[in-house]
Amino acid sequence: MRGNDQYWEAVKGRIVGPDGKALEGITVHVYDKDVMVDDYLGEAVTKANGKFRVEFTQADYTPPFSPGEGRPDIYLKLTNADGRVHKTEVHADLSGNFEKTDDPEKGGLDGEIEVMNLGDVEFPAE
């Protein structure tokens, strides 16, 4: 943790069906699990390859009245075109690899953003 409200992080992955094939058009909502109210961190819609990426700042999950929260506990709420929803397990204490970014706002002083790669995330059949 860099202690900067503008420290950018991201969650990425690929949404697949039970057969392992990529799913296009799935809306991926990213949340930080909290005791009282979960923090909404953003959303993306999967591309033909099933991939998504949602970027957010440290300030999005660390409110001013709760500065000691620590790392976000990430879960996804997936919604397909017919409105069916699936909520994933919680991934405690987000951590990931640092990736270079050319965006001066998101990269801050070191030109990097921390990215948690969830890999393949299954959207189960009905």
Side-chain angles (χ1 to χ4, degrees), residues 38-54:
D38 296 347
D39 300 311
Y40 174 72
L41 301 177
E43 69 183 67
V45 176
T46 59
K47 300 176 181 4
N49 61 7
K51 292 185 178 182
F52 71 91
R53 180 180 174 119
V54 175

Side-chain angles (χ1 to χ4, degrees), residues 102-116:
D102 293 331
D103 186 322
E105 178 183 340
K106 293 180 181 177
L109 296 175
D110 58 7
E112 294 182 326
I113 179 172
E114 185 174 6
V115 180
M116 178 182 197

